[in-house]
Each structure stands twice: as C-alpha cells, then as structure tokens.
Amino acid sequence: MNEKLKYLIIKPNLGCNCSCNFCESRLELYEKNEGKKLLSLKDWKKILKTGKELGLKSVHISGGEPTLYGGLIDLIKHAKSLGLKVNLNTNGILLANKKYVQNLNSAKLDSCTISLYSASPAKHDSIRSYDGAFAKALLAMNNIHKTSIELNLQTILTVDNMAYFLEFIKLAHKQNPKKMFISYLEGYNNINHPSKEDITHFKETVVPNCQDYLKKELKGTILQKNLKNLNHLFKWGVSYSDLARGIYNCSNSINCKNRKSLALILANGDIHPCNAIEYFHKPIVGNLHKKSLKELWDSDNWKKIRKGGSGWCKLCPMTHHTYLVFK
C-alpha cells in the first residue's frame, strides 16, 4: 500500500526578526545556510503541486519568521488554489500591520498560530530579544479577529515560564483563540529545560490551579477536554529526571504518525523526514534542487525512516504536544 504525504511544514525563510534564547539550533541552521541557493517561489509552487499528487492535505508555513518571506501571499494563494488547508506559524510582529493581515485574509489563509511565551510583556520581550514584541503580538491577534482567519496561540514550556502558566492561560482565554497549543523544548541540549523540581512543582501545584481556573470559566466537553490535556502534561512514563535531560520517550522508535505522513522542507531545499529532525539537522533525505519531492518520497532511504524512525525519537517531544480549547 502506498503511503501518502499528508502534511508539509515548509520554511521559505530561515531568518528571523527575533533571537529567542532557546532557538540556538535554528539560528545555527540559518547561519549555516546563508549564501546557499534558496528555493524560489516557482520552486515552492511546484513542490506543493507534487505534494498534492502525493496526497497532501495541509501545509504549515513556518520559519525562521515566515512573514519576512516576500512571496508569502502568492505562496498562500497557490496552496489554496490546490485545495490545501494553510496555517501560518508566526511571532506576530509584522501582523501588527492591519493591511498585511487583510492581505493574508484575501489570500484565504485558513489559520494563523501566534507564538507567545509569557503573560508578562517584559518576560516575553526578553525571551524574544525584541522590545515591543508582546504589544505587537496582541495587535496582531486583534487584527486577525477582524478577519475570517482562525486564530490560535502557541507556547513552549520552559524553565522561564512554567511557574507562571496560570497567568498565561488567563491571558490566552482573554484573547479568545480557538486553541492554544502547548509545546516542549527539543531534547538535543539542556538549554532552558526545567529541572526535576520545576516539573514536580508544575504538576503538583500549577496544573491543579490551572484546572480550578478553567472549571470556573468553561463547561461541557470543552472543559473536560482541557482538564484531560492538562493532566497529560509531563505524564508519559518517563521519569522527571530524564525529562529534565530532554529525554521524552523510552524508545528510539515510537509509533509516530509524523514520520509516516509528514515532511519538513527548508528554504535551501533540504528535506527532513519529520518536523523534530530540524533541531538535529540530520538525517536529510535529499535536496529539492537535485531531486523531485516524489523521487525522494519514493526512495528506499525515506521508506526505511518511515518504517523504523530516525534514531532521534527518544529526544523528540512532538508526540506529547497538546492544546487547550477555548471555543
């Protein structure tokens, strides 16, 4: 049975207007690829067309910061013309411009996920290394609410923000997104990873406080879903000591749908066979300047990875990422 490529994460721009303190591997990747030949808008359109032929359903445009890519609006329009669902992952800084958001809406962007790392403007700006990033993200959310684009938020649990997660949930609730995605730091190094004590406090004190707040504000199936997902945080059969070292799974080969139906494509044409591998920079199954997406998808090398994993599964938090629902 032929396996289908259902999801693409594409990074048409590796640069960023922020310098987050846990993004070291992405910054390293960008610097490594400076000066290399990047995929053109024509290349990206061809890739999406081939992806559609392989079974592609949705494309997530990320980065770096994707709003720095000059061809973004045309790329979204082309993806929509192919019948694909399109999500944009962004820090929201350039979306503080109302006209820019209107252009995204005109291009029929389905959803926009804005990453926010603290309910404190000062803390968020410090993490971003960008003064005013918090204020611009809030403006971006307001602009999106005036369109038909679905608004989602995303945060990463780190040693800097875990103790204040209740305040973040209150902020998210106020901003009225559809969902708030909760992510974890990649496990390739220990930068900003919470300690065993941090995780214990989070599970024993912070999570119950968050649940108490949601019980007052939400009800029905939405509340029950959120309570379940909060309970699931850091509850995966891995010790807190291992989690503090960035070990998220007991096995080097786990049952993960990402590696079976997803690909990540970088601006220089390199393809990673799942989204977590970007942090490790390998394996690379090929480069789209040299071979087509179909040739690489059908290659024995990629088939082997889809079957057995990449070897980094123990350090990958992707299968544990979760979300809260607000409407």
Side-chain angles (χ1 to χ4, degrees):
M1 183 174 63
N2 292 329
E3 295 170 311
K4 292 186 177 181
L5 174 64
K6 297 180 181 179
Y7 312 101
L8 267 185
I9 298 175
I10 65 173
K11 297 175 178 283
N13 175 75
L14 294 177
C16 191
N17 44 10
C18 294
S19 182
C20 298
N21 56 18
F22 47 74
C23 248
E24 183 177 299
S25 70
R26 296 192 188 199
L27 294 173
E28 175 190 329
L29 184 66
Y30 171 61
E31 292 170 359
K32 181 180 177 181
N33 286 282
E34 273 190 317
K36 289 189 176 180
K37 182 181 179 182
L38 303 183
L39 295 169
S40 66
L41 178 60
K42 183 178 179 181
D43 292 329
W44 284 114
K45 289 181 177 180
K46 182 179 179 180
I47 290 164
L48 293 182
K49 183 175 183 297
T50 303
K52 178 71 175 180
E53 294 167 356
L54 292 172
L56 186 62
K57 299 295 184 183
S58 64
V59 56
H60 302 266
I61 307 175
S62 184
E65 173 50 46
T67 58
L68 296 176
Y69 177 60
L72 180 61
I73 301 298
D74 287 337
L75 184 59
I76 294 171
K77 288 180 179 178
H78 182 72
K80 293 304 300 177
S81 74
L82 295 172
L84 300 174
K85 185 175 181 179
V86 184
N87 176 67
L88 179 68
N89 293 334
T90 173
N91 57 35
I93 290 172
L94 295 188
L95 274 62
N97 183 314
K98 187 182 298 185
K99 179 62 177 176
Y100 191 90
V101 175
Q102 290 172 348
N103 289 339
L104 291 173
N105 190 48
S106 297
K108 307 299 182 183
L109 177 67
D110 292 287
S111 59
C112 182
T113 302
I114 294 180
S115 52
L116 204 65
Y117 300 136
S118 176
S120 161
K123 174 60 72 174
H124 177 76
D125 289 0
S126 175
I127 293 173
R128 284 280 189 210
S129 297
Y130 187 110
D131 290 340
F134 184 91
K136 289 188 175 183
L138 293 190
L139 278 175
M141 295 175 208
N142 184 57
N143 289 336
I144 291 170
H145 276 312
K146 296 176 181 177
T147 71
S148 60
I149 300 170
E150 177 187 295
L151 172 66
N152 296 303
L153 300 184
Q154 183 264 347
T155 195
I156 300 177
L157 295 176
T158 78
V159 68
D160 289 327
N161 62 20
M162 283 175 54
Y164 310 101
F165 193 56
L166 173 58
E167 287 72 20
F168 189 88
I169 287 180
K170 290 179 179 179
L171 172 67
H173 186 206
K174 182 179 179 180
Q175 295 306 315
N176 196 31
K178 182 174 183 180
K179 293 180 179 178
M180 183 187 85
F181 298 104
I182 305 170
S183 305
Y184 307 91
L185 290 169
E186 66 279 2
Y188 85 106
N189 63 32
N190 292 323
I191 298 176
N192 288 69
H193 277 252
S195 67
K196 175 183 176 180
E197 291 72 25
D198 293 326
I199 299 172
T200 300
H201 174 73
F202 182 79
K203 288 292 292 183
E204 294 182 355
T205 303
V206 177
V207 168
N209 288 341
C210 292
Q211 291 175 321
D212 288 342
Y213 169 76
L214 292 177
K215 288 175 183 177
K216 296 176 183 177
E217 301 294 330
L218 303 174
K219 59 184 179 180
T221 56
I222 288 180
L223 172 61
Q224 295 308 312
K225 179 68 174 179
N226 289 342
L227 296 180
K228 178 181 177 181
N229 287 351
L230 283 173
N231 275 331
H232 184 67
L233 294 171
F234 295 106
K235 190 178 180 181
W236 318 311
V238 182
S239 72
Y240 289 174
S241 296
D242 280 345
L243 290 172
R245 295 189 296 126
I247 298 174
Y248 290 97
N249 302 289
C250 299
S251 171
N252 265 323
S253 180
I254 59 176
N255 185 24
C256 173
K257 69 177 182 179
N258 284 359
R259 74 164 189 257
K260 299 176 182 178
S261 58
L262 180 148
L264 184 148
I265 304 177
L266 302 179
N268 68 344
D270 285 345
I271 301 184
H272 292 311
C274 79
N275 47 342
I277 293 175
E278 178 195 2
Y279 302 113
F280 312 110
H281 304 336
K282 60 181 181 180
I284 296 171
V285 293
N287 187 282
L288 290 170
H289 286 303
K290 300 176 181 179
K291 289 188 177 182
S292 71
L293 179 58
K294 177 172 173 46
E295 286 177 301
L296 293 171
W297 179 256
D298 291 336
S299 68
D300 290 340
N301 183 31
W302 203 340
K303 288 179 181 178
K304 183 178 178 181
I305 293 171
R306 290 201 293 271
K307 182 178 180 180
S310 67
W312 296 107
C313 297
K314 287 183 70 172
L315 302 178
C316 172
M318 297 294 177
T319 57
H320 303 308
H321 289 179
T322 187
Y323 60 89
L324 298 181
V325 186
F326 290 102
K327 60 182 177 181

